[in-house]
Amino acid sequence: MGDEPEVAARLAARLGELRVERGWSLEELAGRTGISRSTLSRLERGEISPTAALLGKLCAVYERTMSRLLAEVESEPPQVVRAAAQEVWRDETSGFVRRSVSPPHPGLRGEVVEATLRPGADISYDAPPVPGLEQHIWVLEGSVEITSDGHAHTVEAGDCLRFRLWGASRFRCPGPGPVRYAILVVLP
Protein backbone atom coordinates (compact mmCIF):
# COMPACT_ATOMS: atom_id res chain seq x y z
CA MET A 1 0.00 0.00 0.00
CA GLY A 2 1.07 3.65 -0.31
CA ASP A 3 3.20 4.09 2.82
CA GLU A 4 3.00 0.43 3.85
CA PRO A 5 4.18 0.61 7.51
CA GLU A 6 1.95 3.60 8.23
CA VAL A 7 -1.09 2.04 6.51
CA ALA A 8 -0.46 -1.28 8.28
CA ALA A 9 -0.42 0.53 11.63
CA ARG A 10 -3.67 2.36 10.80
CA LEU A 11 -5.26 -0.92 9.68
CA ALA A 12 -4.29 -2.58 12.97
CA ALA A 13 -5.74 0.36 14.91
CA ARG A 14 -8.95 0.32 12.83
CA LEU A 15 -9.46 -3.39 13.49
CA GLY A 16 -9.23 -2.70 17.21
CA GLU A 17 -11.64 0.25 16.91
CA LEU A 18 -14.22 -1.85 15.10
CA ARG A 19 -14.14 -4.49 17.83
CA VAL A 20 -14.42 -1.90 20.61
CA GLU A 21 -17.26 -0.06 18.79
CA ARG A 22 -19.28 -3.28 19.00
CA GLY A 23 -18.40 -3.86 22.62
CA TRP A 24 -16.78 -7.21 21.86
CA SER A 25 -13.93 -8.73 23.81
CA LEU A 26 -11.12 -10.46 21.95
CA GLU A 27 -12.65 -13.74 23.15
CA GLU A 28 -16.05 -12.87 21.64
CA LEU A 29 -14.47 -11.80 18.34
CA ALA A 30 -12.48 -15.05 18.30
CA GLY A 31 -15.74 -16.98 18.67
CA ARG A 32 -17.41 -15.03 15.85
CA THR A 33 -14.49 -15.39 13.40
CA GLY A 34 -12.80 -18.66 14.29
CA ILE A 35 -9.51 -16.73 14.59
CA SER A 36 -7.56 -17.34 17.80
CA ARG A 37 -7.62 -14.68 20.50
CA SER A 38 -3.82 -14.41 20.40
CA THR A 39 -3.78 -13.89 16.63
CA LEU A 40 -6.47 -11.19 16.93
CA SER A 41 -4.49 -9.48 19.67
CA ARG A 42 -1.30 -9.53 17.59
CA LEU A 43 -3.23 -8.19 14.54
CA GLU A 44 -4.66 -5.29 16.54
CA ARG A 45 -1.24 -4.44 17.98
CA GLY A 46 0.27 -4.49 14.48
CA GLU A 47 2.70 -7.28 15.33
CA ILE A 48 1.55 -9.37 12.34
CA SER A 49 -0.11 -8.53 9.03
CA PRO A 50 -3.43 -10.19 8.23
CA THR A 51 -3.61 -12.77 5.47
CA ALA A 52 -6.37 -12.43 2.86
CA ALA A 53 -8.32 -15.21 4.59
CA LEU A 54 -8.07 -13.56 8.03
CA LEU A 55 -9.00 -10.16 6.64
CA GLY A 56 -11.93 -11.80 4.83
CA LYS A 57 -13.24 -13.27 8.08
CA LEU A 58 -12.89 -9.94 9.88
CA CYS A 59 -14.61 -8.08 7.04
CA ALA A 60 -17.48 -10.56 7.23
CA VAL A 61 -18.12 -10.00 10.96
CA TYR A 62 -17.72 -6.24 10.57
CA GLU A 63 -19.99 -6.29 7.47
CA ARG A 64 -17.51 -4.45 5.25
CA THR A 65 -15.89 -5.20 1.94
CA MET A 66 -12.12 -5.42 2.06
CA SER A 67 -11.94 -2.26 -0.06
CA ARG A 68 -14.14 -0.35 2.37
CA LEU A 69 -12.05 -1.43 5.35
CA LEU A 70 -8.82 -0.47 3.59
CA ALA A 71 -10.35 2.84 2.49
CA GLU A 72 -11.23 3.61 6.12
CA VAL A 73 -7.53 3.71 6.96
CA GLU A 74 -6.75 6.01 4.04
CA SER A 75 -7.55 9.68 3.67
CA GLU A 76 -10.58 10.85 1.68
CA PRO A 77 -10.24 9.24 -1.77
CA PRO A 78 -9.76 11.62 -4.68
CA GLN A 79 -12.00 11.52 -7.74
CA VAL A 80 -9.10 10.52 -9.99
CA VAL A 81 -6.67 7.91 -8.72
CA ARG A 82 -3.49 7.77 -10.78
CA ALA A 83 -1.99 4.32 -11.35
CA ALA A 84 1.06 5.14 -9.23
CA ALA A 85 -1.18 6.17 -6.32
CA GLN A 86 -3.47 3.13 -6.33
CA GLU A 87 -3.18 1.23 -3.08
CA VAL A 88 -1.69 -2.26 -3.32
CA TRP A 89 -2.07 -4.89 -0.60
CA ARG A 90 -0.08 -8.13 -0.68
CA ASP A 91 -0.63 -11.40 1.12
CA GLU A 92 2.72 -13.13 0.55
CA THR A 93 1.50 -16.29 2.29
CA SER A 94 -1.33 -16.97 -0.16
CA GLY A 95 0.17 -15.29 -3.24
CA PHE A 96 -2.64 -12.73 -3.49
CA VAL A 97 -2.01 -9.14 -4.65
CA ARG A 98 -4.91 -6.67 -4.56
CA ARG A 99 -4.89 -3.20 -6.17
CA SER A 100 -7.66 -0.74 -5.30
CA VAL A 101 -8.23 0.80 -8.72
CA SER A 102 -11.15 2.93 -7.52
CA PRO A 103 -11.14 3.21 -3.74
CA PRO A 104 -14.71 3.23 -2.44
CA HIS A 105 -16.36 6.37 -1.18
CA PRO A 106 -18.86 6.11 1.69
CA GLY A 107 -21.70 7.39 -0.52
CA LEU A 108 -21.03 5.07 -3.49
CA ARG A 109 -21.92 1.40 -3.95
CA GLY A 110 -19.47 0.25 -6.64
CA GLU A 111 -15.73 -0.19 -6.90
CA VAL A 112 -13.09 -1.72 -9.17
CA VAL A 113 -10.28 -3.90 -7.87
CA GLU A 114 -7.44 -5.60 -9.75
CA ALA A 115 -6.28 -8.92 -8.33
CA THR A 116 -3.40 -11.26 -9.10
CA LEU A 117 -2.93 -14.81 -7.85
CA ARG A 118 0.28 -16.75 -8.35
CA PRO A 119 0.07 -20.31 -9.71
CA GLY A 120 -1.20 -22.68 -7.04
CA ALA A 121 -2.68 -19.89 -4.91
CA ASP A 122 -5.91 -21.03 -3.26
CA ILE A 123 -7.94 -18.62 -1.10
CA SER A 124 -11.21 -19.50 0.62
CA TYR A 125 -13.62 -17.16 2.35
CA ASP A 126 -16.20 -18.57 4.79
CA ALA A 127 -18.76 -15.84 4.13
CA PRO A 128 -19.15 -12.64 2.13
CA PRO A 129 -18.26 -9.37 3.84
CA VAL A 130 -21.76 -8.17 2.93
CA PRO A 131 -24.47 -10.76 2.09
CA GLY A 132 -25.80 -10.33 -1.44
CA LEU A 133 -22.66 -8.56 -2.63
CA GLU A 134 -22.59 -8.50 -6.44
CA GLN A 135 -19.28 -9.29 -8.13
CA HIS A 136 -18.23 -9.26 -11.78
CA ILE A 137 -14.92 -11.08 -12.30
CA TRP A 138 -13.27 -10.21 -15.63
CA VAL A 139 -10.12 -12.26 -16.27
CA LEU A 140 -7.44 -10.19 -18.00
CA GLU A 141 -4.66 -12.81 -18.14
CA GLY A 142 -4.48 -16.48 -17.20
CA SER A 143 -7.16 -18.66 -15.68
CA VAL A 144 -8.91 -18.85 -12.30
CA GLU A 145 -11.25 -21.35 -10.72
CA ILE A 146 -13.97 -19.60 -8.72
CA THR A 147 -16.45 -21.34 -6.46
CA SER A 148 -19.34 -19.23 -5.22
CA ASP A 149 -22.12 -20.64 -3.07
CA GLY A 150 -21.17 -24.18 -4.14
CA HIS A 151 -21.04 -23.48 -7.90
CA ALA A 152 -17.60 -23.91 -9.52
CA HIS A 153 -16.53 -21.98 -12.62
CA THR A 154 -13.30 -21.92 -14.62
CA VAL A 155 -12.86 -18.39 -15.95
CA GLU A 156 -10.18 -17.70 -18.57
CA ALA A 157 -8.68 -14.60 -20.21
CA GLY A 158 -11.44 -12.45 -21.67
CA ASP A 159 -14.25 -14.27 -19.78
CA CYS A 160 -16.44 -12.52 -17.23
CA LEU A 161 -18.31 -14.20 -14.37
CA ARG A 162 -21.12 -12.37 -12.53
CA PHE A 163 -22.73 -13.53 -9.30
CA ARG A 164 -24.26 -12.42 -6.02
CA LEU A 165 -22.39 -13.75 -3.04
CA TRP A 166 -24.43 -15.22 -0.21
CA GLY A 167 -22.12 -17.90 1.19
CA ALA A 168 -18.61 -19.27 1.01
CA SER A 169 -16.32 -18.57 -1.94
CA ARG A 170 -12.98 -19.81 -3.21
CA PHE A 171 -10.45 -18.47 -5.74
CA ARG A 172 -7.78 -20.84 -7.07
CA CYS A 173 -5.14 -20.27 -9.73
CA PRO A 174 -4.46 -23.60 -11.46
CA GLY A 175 -1.46 -22.20 -13.37
CA PRO A 176 0.79 -22.66 -15.17
CA GLY A 177 1.14 -18.87 -14.94
CA PRO A 178 -0.44 -16.29 -12.63
CA VAL A 179 -3.96 -14.99 -13.16
CA ARG A 180 -4.79 -11.28 -13.27
CA TYR A 181 -8.41 -10.19 -13.09
CA ALA A 182 -10.61 -7.21 -12.43
CA ILE A 183 -13.33 -7.40 -9.80
CA LEU A 184 -16.24 -5.02 -10.07
CA VAL A 185 -17.97 -4.97 -6.70
CA VAL A 186 -21.46 -3.60 -6.20
CA LEU A 187 -22.96 -3.36 -2.73
CA PRO A 188 -26.58 -4.54 -2.40
Side-chain angles (χ1 to χ4, degrees), residues 97-121:
V97 178
R98 179 185 193 290
R99 176 183 300 277
S100 294
V101 177
S102 62
H105 186 278
L108 302 177
R109 298 177 352 133
E111 61 188 279
V112 179
V113 173
E114 177 189 32
T116 304
L117 291 174
R118 70 175 173 233

Side-chain angles (χ1 to χ4, degrees), residues 18-178:
L18 288 167
R19 181 180 56 78
V20 170
E21 286 171 9
R22 285 157 178 74
W24 297 340
S25 65
L26 283 170
E27 195 67 41
E28 184 171 353
L29 182 58
R32 289 175 182 267
T33 61
I35 302 170
S36 75
R37 184 187 177 287
S38 63
T39 298
L40 291 168
S41 177
R42 293 182 69 206
L43 283 171
E44 290 183 8
R45 290 194 313 264
E47 294 175 3
I48 60 173
S49 295
T51 63
L54 287 179
L55 206 52
K57 288 179 181 186
L58 290 167
C59 286
V61 299
Y62 293 137
E63 298 179 325
R64 283 166 163 66
T65 63
M66 196 178 300
S67 292
R68 179 176 171 202
L69 176 63
L70 294 173
E72 289 175 2
V73 300
E74 290 295 322
S75 58
E76 180 71 17
Q79 288 189 337
V80 174
V81 182
R82 304 291 177 206
Q86 294 169 356
E87 298 299 329
V88 176
W89 182 75
R90 289 175 169 73
D91 176 1
E92 300 298 338
T93 303
S94 68
F96 178 56
V97 178
R98 179 185 193 290
R99 176 183 300 277
S100 294
V101 177
S102 62
H105 186 278
L108 302 177
R109 298 177 352 133
E111 61 188 279
V112 179
V113 173
E114 177 189 32
T116 304
L117 291 174
R118 70 175 173 233
D122 192 340
I123 302 172
S124 294
Y125 300 98
D126 296 333
V130 177
L133 186 72
E134 181 179 351
Q135 291 190 358
H136 301 249
I137 311 290
W138 179 28
V139 176
L140 304 170
E141 298 173 23
S143 176
V144 63
E145 294 172 1
I146 300 171
T147 303
S148 168
D149 298 323
H151 301 289
H153 306 274
T154 299
V155 190
E156 299 183 356
D159 297 347
C160 185
L161 171 67
R162 179 181 68 187
F163 56 91
R164 281 197 179 273
L165 192 55
W166 297 100
S169 62
R170 178 180 177 205
F171 291 72
R172 188 178 87 77
C173 178

